[in-house]
Amino acid sequence: MIVYGRNPVLEALRGKRRVTRAWASEHAAREDWLAAASPEIADDSELEALCESPDHQGVCAEAGDYPYADSAELLSADDALVICLDQVQDPQNLGAVCRVADAAGAAGVVIGERRSAHVTPAVCKASAGAVEHLDVAIARNLADYLATAKESGAWVYGATADAATRYDEPDYNGRVVLVLGAEGKGLRPRVADTCDALISLPMRGRIDSLNVSAAAAALIYGILRSRE
């Protein structure tokens, strides 16, 4: 996989994957943090061809396949907070959610096997390299994963725009799984039915919904505030 952009490449060098090769513009190659990768000098057109994107910021690197985590292990801690995404297909949204999850100290993010964005170079870029440190797992069937999480003692909360329960009402102590759906579709019925409760954010303006990554940020930090 070709990872591109300053933060994604930097975090790939620091993270759990092996970086085997790097390329950089003459200017970027002079930066101290990149020296250990011994980058090959490349011009903008060469970098864009390697990355298949103009957003390389003068640097890219070849890293190994993304090492997905075991979804069953994410809830091992007594206070684990796991974020599940139900058919979120936009790589920008997946990357942004992963960035928030890592910043907030979540145990990990679970995505579906089908009809879901997986970790790609675009996701690495959107996450600013957070996926190199955050555990991301794939669940073959998300509803089944949620049922298993409940059996392990976790409380499962699904975010929907029309839920009667406000996001700040539940007790979020202990193991918690937060489930968010795709924009325009929300949670699938079986996924919603598996949740212990459905929660919503107050919407006081004229727009009746938030981007999934914005909703994730508000809800995750709301959970952290509740735990404090």
Side-chain angles (χ1 to χ4, degrees), residues 116-206:
S116 298
H118 289 184
V119 178
T120 62
V123 172
C124 298
K125 181 69 164 60
S127 78
V131 293
E132 305 300 339
H133 309 288
L134 179 72
D135 283 336
V136 180
I138 296 176
R140 184 173 182 181
N141 184 294
L142 195 60
D144 288 347
Y145 173 77
L146 298 178
T148 301
K150 289 166 67 173
E151 290 172 2
S152 75
W155 286 85
V156 178
Y157 299 98
T160 63
D162 56 356
T165 302
R166 281 174 52 105
Y167 79 104
D168 53 358
E169 292 179 20
D171 179 352
Y172 292 112
N173 289 306
R175 295 183 178 94
V176 170
V177 178
L178 174 64
V179 193
L180 299 107
E183 288 183 72
K185 295 181 180 179
L187 300 179
R188 288 173 293 165
R190 184 169 174 235
V191 170
D193 290 344
T194 309
C195 297
D196 290 302
L198 300 178
I199 58 174
S200 63
L201 288 161
M203 301 297 297
R204 296 175 179 170
R206 297 185 180 182

Coordinates of all heavy atoms in Angstrom, one line a residue, residues 116-206:
S116 N -18.8 -1.5 3.2 CA -18.1 -0.5 4.1 C -16.8 -0.2 3.6 O -16.1 -1.0 2.9 CB -18.0 -1.2 5.5 OG -19.2 -1.5 6.1
A117 N -16.4 1.1 3.9 CA -15.0 1.5 3.5 C -14.0 0.7 4.4 O -14.3 0.5 5.6 CB -14.8 3.0 3.7
H118 N -12.9 0.3 3.8 CA -11.8 -0.4 4.6 C -10.7 0.6 4.6 O -10.7 1.7 4.0 CB -11.5 -1.7 4.0 CG -12.6 -2.7 4.2 ND1 -12.5 -4.1 3.8 CD2 -13.8 -2.7 4.8 CE1 -13.5 -4.7 4.1 NE2 -14.4 -3.9 4.7
V119 N -9.6 0.2 5.3 CA -8.4 1.1 5.4 C -7.7 1.1 4.1 O -7.0 0.1 3.7 CB -7.5 0.7 6.6 CG1 -6.3 1.6 6.6 CG2 -8.3 0.7 7.9
T120 N -7.7 2.2 3.4 CA -7.0 2.5 2.1 C -6.1 3.7 2.3 O -6.1 4.4 3.4 CB -8.0 2.8 1.0 OG1 -8.7 4.0 1.4 CG2 -9.0 1.7 0.9
P121 N -5.2 4.0 1.3 CA -4.4 5.2 1.4 C -5.2 6.5 1.7 O -4.8 7.3 2.5 CB -3.7 5.2 0.1 CG -3.6 3.8 -0.3 CD -4.8 3.2 0.1
A122 N -6.4 6.6 1.1 CA -7.2 7.7 1.3 C -7.7 7.8 2.8 O -7.8 8.9 3.4 CB -8.4 7.7 0.4
V123 N -8.0 6.7 3.4 CA -8.4 6.6 4.8 C -7.2 7.0 5.7 O -7.4 7.7 6.7 CB -9.0 5.2 5.1 CG1 -9.2 5.1 6.6 CG2 -10.3 5.0 4.4
C124 N -6.0 6.5 5.3 CA -4.8 6.9 6.1 C -4.7 8.4 6.1 O -4.3 9.0 7.1 CB -3.6 6.2 5.5 SG -3.6 4.4 5.6
K125 N -4.8 9.0 4.9 CA -4.7 10.4 4.8 C -5.7 11.2 5.6 O -5.4 12.1 6.3 CB -4.8 10.8 3.3 CG -4.6 12.3 3.0 CD -3.1 12.7 3.3 CE -2.8 14.1 2.6 NZ -3.6 15.2 3.2
A126 N -7.0 10.7 5.5 CA -8.1 11.4 6.2 C -7.9 11.3 7.7 O -8.4 12.2 8.4 CB -9.4 10.9 5.7
S127 N -7.3 10.2 8.1 CA -7.1 10.0 9.6 C -5.9 10.7 10.1 O -5.6 10.6 11.3 CB -7.0 8.5 9.9 OG -5.7 8.0 9.6
A128 N -5.1 11.4 9.2 CA -3.8 12.0 9.6 C -2.9 11.0 10.2 O -2.1 11.3 11.1 CB -4.1 13.2 10.6
G129 N -3.0 9.7 9.8 CA -2.1 8.7 10.3 C -2.6 8.0 11.5 O -1.9 7.1 12.0
A130 N -3.8 8.3 12.0 CA -4.3 7.7 13.3 C -4.5 6.2 13.1 O -4.3 5.5 14.1 CB -5.6 8.4 13.7
V131 N -4.8 5.7 11.9 CA -5.0 4.3 11.8 C -3.8 3.5 12.0 O -3.9 2.3 12.2 CB -5.6 4.0 10.3 CG1 -7.0 4.6 10.2 CG2 -4.6 4.5 9.3
E132 N -2.6 4.1 12.0 CA -1.4 3.4 12.2 C -1.2 3.0 13.7 O -0.4 2.1 14.1 CB -0.1 4.2 11.8 CG -0.2 4.6 10.3 CD -0.3 3.5 9.3 OE1 0.1 2.4 9.7 OE2 -0.7 3.8 8.2
H133 N -2.0 3.6 14.6 CA -1.9 3.3 16.0 C -3.2 2.8 16.6 O -3.2 2.0 17.5 CB -1.6 4.6 16.8 CG -0.4 5.3 16.2 ND1 0.9 4.8 16.3 CD2 -0.2 6.4 15.4 CE1 1.8 5.6 15.7 NE2 1.1 6.6 15.2
L134 N -4.3 3.1 16.0 CA -5.7 2.7 16.4 C -5.9 1.3 15.9 O -5.6 0.9 14.8 CB -6.7 3.6 15.8 CG -8.2 3.3 16.2 CD1 -8.5 3.6 17.6 CD2 -9.1 4.2 15.3
D135 N -6.6 0.5 16.8 CA -7.0 -0.8 16.3 C -8.3 -0.7 15.5 O -9.3 -0.2 16.0 CB -7.3 -1.8 17.5 CG -6.0 -2.3 18.1 OD1 -5.0 -2.3 17.4 OD2 -6.0 -2.6 19.3
V136 N -8.3 -1.2 14.3 CA -9.4 -1.2 13.4 C -9.7 -2.7 13.1 O -8.8 -3.4 12.7 CB -9.2 -0.4 12.1 CG1 -10.5 -0.5 11.2 CG2 -8.9 1.0 12.4
A137 N -10.9 -3.1 13.3 CA -11.3 -4.5 13.1 C -12.4 -4.6 12.1 O -13.2 -3.7 11.9 CB -11.7 -5.2 14.4
I138 N -12.5 -5.8 11.5 CA -13.6 -6.1 10.5 C -14.5 -7.1 11.1 O -14.1 -8.2 11.6 CB -13.1 -6.6 9.2 CG1 -12.3 -5.4 8.5 CG2 -14.2 -7.0 8.2 CD1 -11.6 -5.9 7.2
A139 N -15.8 -6.9 11.1 CA -16.8 -7.8 11.6 C -17.6 -8.4 10.4 O -18.0 -7.6 9.6 CB -17.8 -7.2 12.6
R140 N -17.6 -9.7 10.3 CA -18.4 -10.3 9.2 C -19.8 -9.9 9.2 O -20.4 -9.6 8.2 CB -18.2 -11.8 9.2 CG -18.8 -12.5 8.1 CD -18.5 -14.0 8.1 NE -19.1 -14.6 6.9 CZ -19.0 -15.9 6.7 NH1 -18.3 -16.7 7.5 NH2 -19.5 -16.5 5.6
N141 N -20.4 -9.8 10.4 CA -21.8 -9.4 10.6 C -21.9 -8.5 11.8 O -21.6 -8.9 12.9 CB -22.7 -10.7 10.7 CG -24.2 -10.3 10.8 OD1 -24.6 -9.6 11.8 ND2 -24.9 -10.7 9.8
L142 N -22.2 -7.2 11.5 CA -22.1 -6.2 12.6 C -23.2 -6.5 13.7 O -22.9 -6.4 14.9 CB -22.4 -4.8 12.0 CG -22.0 -3.7 12.9 CD1 -20.5 -3.8 13.3 CD2 -22.3 -2.4 12.3
A143 N -24.4 -6.9 13.3 CA -25.4 -7.2 14.3 C -25.0 -8.3 15.2 O -25.2 -8.3 16.5 CB -26.7 -7.5 13.7
D144 N -24.4 -9.4 14.7 CA -23.9 -10.5 15.5 C -22.8 -10.0 16.4 O -22.7 -10.5 17.5 CB -23.4 -11.6 14.6 CG -24.5 -12.3 13.8 OD1 -25.7 -12.1 14.2 OD2 -24.2 -13.1 12.9
Y145 N -21.9 -9.1 15.9 CA -20.8 -8.6 16.8 C -21.4 -7.9 17.9 O -20.9 -8.0 19.1 CB -19.9 -7.7 16.0 CG -18.9 -7.0 16.8 CD1 -17.8 -7.7 17.3 CD2 -19.0 -5.7 17.2 CE1 -16.8 -7.1 18.1 CE2 -18.1 -5.1 18.1 CZ -17.0 -5.8 18.5 OH -16.1 -5.2 19.4
L146 N -22.4 -7.1 17.7 CA -23.1 -6.3 18.8 C -23.7 -7.3 19.8 O -23.6 -7.0 21.0 CB -24.1 -5.4 18.2 CG -23.6 -4.3 17.3 CD1 -24.7 -3.4 16.8 CD2 -22.5 -3.4 17.9
A147 N -24.3 -8.3 19.3 CA -24.9 -9.3 20.2 C -23.8 -9.9 21.1 O -24.0 -10.1 22.3 CB -25.7 -10.3 19.5
T148 N -22.7 -10.3 20.5 CA -21.6 -10.9 21.3 C -21.1 -9.9 22.3 O -20.7 -10.2 23.4 CB -20.5 -11.3 20.3 OG1 -21.0 -12.3 19.4 CG2 -19.3 -11.9 21.1
A149 N -21.0 -8.6 21.9 CA -20.5 -7.5 22.8 C -21.4 -7.4 24.0 O -20.9 -7.3 25.1 CB -20.4 -6.2 22.0
K150 N -22.7 -7.5 23.8 CA -23.6 -7.5 24.9 C -23.5 -8.6 25.8 O -23.5 -8.5 27.1 CB -25.1 -7.4 24.4 CG -25.4 -6.1 23.7 CD -26.7 -6.1 22.9 CE -27.9 -6.3 23.8 NZ -29.1 -6.2 22.9
E151 N -23.2 -9.8 25.3 CA -23.0 -11.0 26.1 C -21.7 -10.8 27.0 O -21.6 -11.4 28.0 CB -22.8 -12.2 25.2 CG -24.1 -12.6 24.5 CD -23.9 -13.7 23.5 OE1 -22.8 -14.2 23.4 OE2 -24.9 -14.1 22.9
S152 N -20.7 -10.0 26.5 CA -19.5 -9.8 27.3 C -19.7 -8.7 28.3 O -18.7 -8.4 29.0 CB -18.4 -9.4 26.3 OG -18.5 -8.1 25.9
G153 N -20.9 -8.2 28.4 CA -21.2 -7.2 29.4 C -21.1 -5.7 28.9 O -21.3 -4.8 29.7
A154 N -21.0 -5.5 27.6 CA -21.0 -4.2 27.1 C -22.4 -3.7 26.9 O -23.4 -4.4 26.6 CB -20.3 -4.2 25.8
W155 N -22.6 -2.4 27.0 CA -23.8 -1.7 26.7 C -23.6 -1.1 25.3 O -22.6 -0.5 25.0 CB -24.1 -0.6 27.7 CG -24.6 -1.1 29.0 CD1 -23.9 -1.5 30.0 CD2 -26.0 -1.4 29.4 NE1 -24.7 -2.0 31.0 CE2 -26.0 -1.9 30.7 CE3 -27.2 -1.2 28.7 CZ2 -27.1 -2.3 31.3 CZ3 -28.4 -1.5 29.4 CH2 -28.3 -2.1 30.7
V156 N -24.7 -1.3 24.4 CA -24.6 -0.9 23.0 C -25.6 0.2 22.8 O -26.8 0.1 23.0 CB -24.9 -2.1 22.1 CG1 -24.8 -1.6 20.6 CG2 -23.9 -3.2 22.3
Y157 N -25.0 1.4 22.3 CA -25.9 2.5 22.0 C -25.8 2.9 20.5 O -24.7 3.1 20.0 CB -25.4 3.7 22.9 CG -25.5 3.5 24.3 CD1 -24.4 3.1 25.1 CD2 -26.8 3.6 25.0 CE1 -24.6 2.8 26.5 CE2 -26.9 3.4 26.3 CZ -25.8 3.0 27.1 OH -25.9 2.7 28.4
G158 N -26.9 3.0 19.9 CA -26.9 3.4 18.5 C -27.4 4.8 18.3 O -28.3 5.3 19.0
A159 N -26.7 5.5 17.5 CA -27.0 7.0 17.3 C -28.0 7.1 16.1 O -27.7 6.7 15.0 CB -25.7 7.7 17.0
T160 N -29.1 7.7 16.4 CA -30.1 8.0 15.3 C -30.6 9.4 15.5 O -30.7 9.9 16.7 CB -31.3 7.0 15.3 OG1 -32.0 7.1 16.5 CG2 -30.8 5.6 15.1
A161 N -31.0 10.1 14.5 CA -31.4 11.5 14.6 C -32.7 11.6 15.4 O -32.9 12.7 16.0 CB -31.6 12.1 13.2
D162 N -33.6 10.6 15.3 CA -34.9 10.8 15.9 C -35.1 10.0 17.2 O -36.2 9.8 17.7 CB -36.0 10.3 14.9 CG -35.8 8.9 14.5 OD1 -34.8 8.3 14.8 OD2 -36.7 8.4 13.7
A163 N -34.0 9.6 17.8 CA -34.1 8.8 19.1 C -34.6 9.7 20.2 O -34.3 10.9 20.3 CB -32.7 8.3 19.5
A164 N -35.5 9.2 21.1 CA -36.1 9.9 22.2 C -35.1 10.1 23.3 O -35.2 11.1 24.1 CB -37.3 9.2 22.7
T165 N -34.1 9.3 23.4 CA -33.1 9.4 24.5 C -32.0 10.3 24.1 O -31.3 10.1 23.1 CB -32.5 8.0 24.9 OG1 -33.6 7.1 25.3 CG2 -31.5 8.1 26.0
R166 N -31.8 11.4 24.9 CA -30.7 12.3 24.6 C -29.3 11.6 24.9 O -29.2 10.7 25.7 CB -30.8 13.5 25.4 CG -31.8 14.6 24.9 CD -31.9 15.7 25.9 NE -30.6 16.2 26.3 CZ -30.1 17.4 25.9 NH1 -30.8 18.1 25.0 NH2 -28.9 17.8 26.2
Y167 N -28.3 12.0 24.1 CA -27.0 11.4 24.2 C -26.4 11.5 25.6 O -25.6 10.7 26.0 CB -26.0 12.0 23.2 CG -25.5 13.3 23.7 CD1 -24.2 13.5 24.2 CD2 -26.3 14.5 23.6 CE1 -23.7 14.7 24.6 CE2 -25.8 15.7 24.1 CZ -24.5 15.8 24.5 OH -24.0 17.0 25.0
D168 N -26.8 12.5 26.4 CA -26.2 12.7 27.8 C -27.0 12.1 28.9 O -26.7 12.3 30.1 CB -26.1 14.2 28.0 CG -27.3 15.0 27.9 OD1 -28.4 14.4 27.5 OD2 -27.3 16.2 28.1
E169 N -28.0 11.2 28.6 CA -28.8 10.6 29.6 C -28.2 9.2 30.1 O -28.3 8.9 31.3 CB -30.3 10.4 29.1 CG -31.0 11.7 28.9 CD -32.4 11.5 28.4 OE1 -32.9 10.3 28.6 OE2 -33.0 12.4 27.9
P170 N -27.7 8.4 29.2 CA -27.2 7.1 29.7 C -26.0 7.2 30.6 O -25.3 8.2 30.6 CB -26.9 6.3 28.4 CG -27.6 7.0 27.3 CD -27.6 8.5 27.8
D171 N -25.8 6.1 31.4 CA -24.6 5.9 32.2 C -23.6 5.2 31.3 O -23.8 4.0 31.0 CB -24.9 5.1 33.4 CG -23.7 4.9 34.3 OD1 -22.6 5.2 33.9 OD2 -23.9 4.3 35.4
Y172 N -22.5 5.8 31.0 CA -21.5 5.2 30.0 C -20.3 4.6 30.7 O -19.3 4.3 30.1 CB -21.0 6.3 29.1 CG -22.0 6.8 28.1 CD1 -22.5 8.1 28.2 CD2 -22.6 6.0 27.1 CE1 -23.4 8.7 27.3 CE2 -23.5 6.5 26.2 CZ -23.9 7.8 26.3 OH -24.9 8.3 25.5
N173 N -20.4 4.3 32.0 CA -19.4 3.6 32.7 C -19.3 2.1 32.2 O -20.3 1.6 31.9 CB -19.5 3.7 34.2 CG -19.3 5.1 34.7 OD1 -18.2 5.6 34.4 ND2 -20.2 5.7 35.4
G174 N -18.1 1.5 32.3 CA -18.0 0.1 31.9 C -17.7 0.0 30.4 O -17.3 1.0 29.8
R175 N -18.0 -1.2 29.9 CA -17.7 -1.4 28.4 C -18.9 -0.8 27.6 O -20.1 -1.0 27.9 CB -17.7 -2.9 28.1 CG -16.5 -3.6 28.8 CD -16.4 -5.1 28.3 NE -15.3 -5.8 28.9 CZ -15.3 -6.5 30.0 NH1 -16.5 -6.6 30.7 NH2 -14.2 -7.1 30.5
V176 N -18.5 0.0 26.6 CA -19.5 0.7 25.8 C -19.2 0.5 24.3 O -18.0 0.7 23.9 CB -19.6 2.2 26.2 CG1 -20.5 3.0 25.2 CG2 -20.2 2.4 27.6
V177 N -20.2 0.3 23.5 CA -20.1 0.2 22.1 C -21.0 1.3 21.5 O -22.2 1.3 21.8 CB -20.5 -1.1 21.5 CG1 -20.4 -1.1 20.0 CG2 -19.6 -2.2 22.1
L178 N -20.5 2.2 20.7 CA -21.3 3.3 20.1 C -21.4 2.9 18.6 O -20.3 2.7 18.0 CB -20.6 4.6 20.3 CG -21.2 5.8 19.5 CD1 -22.6 6.1 20.0 CD2 -20.2 7.0 19.7
V179 N -22.6 2.9 18.1 CA -22.8 2.5 16.7 C -23.4 3.7 15.9 O -24.3 4.3 16.3 CB -23.8 1.3 16.6 CG1 -23.8 0.7 15.2 CG2 -23.5 0.3 17.7
L180 N -22.7 4.0 14.8 CA -23.2 5.1 13.9 C -23.4 4.5 12.5 O -22.7 3.6 12.0 CB -22.1 6.2 13.9 CG -21.8 6.9 15.2 CD1 -20.5 6.4 15.7 CD2 -21.9 8.4 15.1
G181 N -24.4 5.0 11.8 CA -24.8 4.6 10.5 C -24.3 5.5 9.4 O -23.8 6.6 9.7
A182 N -24.5 5.1 8.2 CA -24.1 5.9 7.0 C -25.1 7.1 6.9 O -26.2 7.0 7.2 CB -24.2 5.0 5.8
E183 N -24.5 8.2 6.3 CA -25.3 9.3 6.1 C -26.4 9.0 5.1 O -26.2 8.3 4.1 CB -24.5 10.5 5.5 CG -23.5 11.1 6.5 CD -22.7 12.2 5.9 OE1 -23.3 13.3 5.6 OE2 -21.5 12.0 5.6
G184 N -27.6 9.5 5.4 CA -28.8 9.3 4.5 C -29.5 8.0 4.8 O -30.7 7.9 4.4
K185 N -28.8 7.0 5.3 CA -29.4 5.7 5.6 C -29.6 5.4 7.1 O -30.5 4.8 7.5 CB -28.6 4.6 4.9 CG -28.5 4.7 3.4 CD -27.7 3.6 2.9 CE -27.6 3.6 1.3 NZ -26.7 2.5 0.8
G186 N -28.6 5.9 7.9 CA -28.7 5.6 9.3 C -28.4 4.1 9.6 O -27.8 3.4 8.7
L187 N -28.8 3.7 10.7 CA -28.6 2.3 11.1 C -29.6 1.4 10.4 O -30.8 1.7 10.3 CB -28.8 2.2 12.6 CG -27.8 3.0 13.5 CD1 -28.2 2.7 15.0 CD2 -26.4 2.7 13.2
R188 N -29.1 0.2 10.0 CA -30.1 -0.8 9.4 C -31.0 -1.3 10.6 O -30.6 -1.3 11.7 CB -29.3 -1.9 8.8 CG -28.6 -1.5 7.5 CD -27.7 -2.6 7.0 NE -26.6 -2.8 7.9 CZ -25.8 -3.9 7.9 NH1 -26.0 -4.9 7.1 NH2 -24.8 -4.0 8.7
P189 N -32.2 -1.7 10.2 CA -33.1 -2.1 11.3 C -32.6 -3.2 12.2 O -32.8 -3.1 13.4 CB -34.3 -2.7 10.5 CG -34.3 -1.9 9.2 CD -32.8 -1.7 8.9
R190 N -31.9 -4.2 11.7 CA -31.4 -5.3 12.6 C -30.3 -4.8 13.5 O -30.3 -5.2 14.7 CB -30.9 -6.5 11.8 CG -30.5 -7.6 12.7 CD -30.2 -8.9 11.9 NE -29.7 -9.9 12.9 CZ -28.6 -10.5 12.7 NH1 -27.8 -10.3 11.7 NH2 -28.1 -11.4 13.6
V191 N -29.5 -3.9 13.0 CA -28.4 -3.3 13.8 C -29.1 -2.4 14.9 O -28.7 -2.5 16.1 CB -27.5 -2.5 13.0 CG1 -26.5 -1.7 13.8 CG2 -26.7 -3.4 12.0
A192 N -30.1 -1.6 14.5 CA -30.7 -0.7 15.5 C -31.4 -1.6 16.6 O -31.4 -1.3 17.8 CB -31.7 0.2 14.8
D193 N -32.1 -2.7 16.2 CA -32.8 -3.5 17.1 C -31.9 -4.2 18.1 O -32.3 -4.6 19.2 CB -33.6 -4.6 16.3 CG -34.8 -4.0 15.6 OD1 -35.2 -2.8 15.9 OD2 -35.3 -4.6 14.7
T194 N -30.6 -4.4 17.7 CA -29.7 -5.1 18.6 C -29.2 -4.2 19.7 O -28.7 -4.6 20.7 CB -28.5 -5.7 17.7 OG1 -29.0 -6.4 16.7 CG2 -27.6 -6.6 18.6
C195 N -29.3 -2.9 19.5 CA -28.8 -1.9 20.4 C -29.6 -1.9 21.7 O -30.8 -2.2 21.7 CB -28.8 -0.5 19.9 SG -27.7 -0.3 18.4
D196 N -28.9 -1.7 22.8 CA -29.7 -1.5 24.1 C -30.5 -0.3 24.1 O -31.6 -0.3 24.7 CB -28.7 -1.5 25.3 CG -28.0 -2.8 25.5 OD1 -28.7 -3.8 25.7 OD2 -26.8 -2.9 25.5
A197 N -30.1 0.8 23.5 CA -30.8 2.0 23.4 C -30.3 2.8 22.2 O -29.2 2.7 21.8 CB -30.6 2.8 24.7
L198 N -31.2 3.7 21.7 CA -30.9 4.6 20.7 C -30.8 6.0 21.2 O -31.7 6.4 22.0 CB -31.9 4.5 19.6 CG -32.1 3.2 18.9 CD1 -33.2 3.2 17.8 CD2 -30.8 2.7 18.2
I199 N -29.8 6.7 20.9 CA -29.5 8.0 21.4 C -29.4 9.1 20.3 O -29.1 8.7 19.2 CB -28.2 8.1 22.3 CG1 -27.0 7.6 21.4 CG2 -28.4 7.2 23.5 CD1 -25.7 7.7 22.2
S200 N -29.6 10.3 20.7 CA -29.6 11.4 19.7 C -28.9 12.6 20.2 O -28.9 12.9 21.4 CB -31.0 11.8 19.2 OG -31.8 12.3 20.3
L201 N -28.4 13.4 19.3 CA -27.8 14.7 19.7 C -28.9 15.8 19.4 O -29.7 15.7 18.5 CB -26.6 15.1 18.8 CG -25.3 14.3 19.0 CD1 -24.4 14.3 17.8 CD2 -24.6 14.8 20.3
P202 N -29.0 16.8 20.3 CA -29.9 17.9 20.0 C -29.6 18.7 18.7 O -28.5 19.0 18.5 CB -29.8 18.8 21.3 CG -28.4 18.5 21.8 CD -28.1 17.1 21.4
M203 N -30.6 18.9 17.9 CA -30.4 19.6 16.7 C -31.3 20.9 16.8 O -32.6 20.8 16.7 CB -30.8 18.8 15.5 CG -30.0 17.5 15.3 SD -28.2 17.7 15.1 CE -28.3 18.6 13.5
R204 N -30.7 22.0 17.0 CA -31.5 23.2 17.2 C -31.5 24.2 16.1 O -32.1 25.3 16.1 CB -30.9 23.9 18.5 CG -31.1 23.0 19.7 CD -30.4 23.6 20.9 NE -30.6 22.8 22.1 CZ -30.0 23.0 23.3 NH1 -29.2 24.0 23.4 NH2 -30.3 22.2 24.3
G205 N -30.8 23.8 15.0 CA -30.8 24.7 13.8 C -31.8 24.2 12.8 O -32.7 23.4 13.0
R206 N -31.6 24.6 11.5 CA -32.4 24.2 10.4 C -32.0 22.9 9.8 O -32.8 22.3 9.1 CB -32.5 25.3 9.4 CG -33.1 26.6 10.0 CD -33.3 27.7 8.9 NE -33.9 28.9 9.5 CZ -34.1 30.0 8.7 NH1 -33.9 30.0 7.4 NH2 -34.7 31.0 9.3

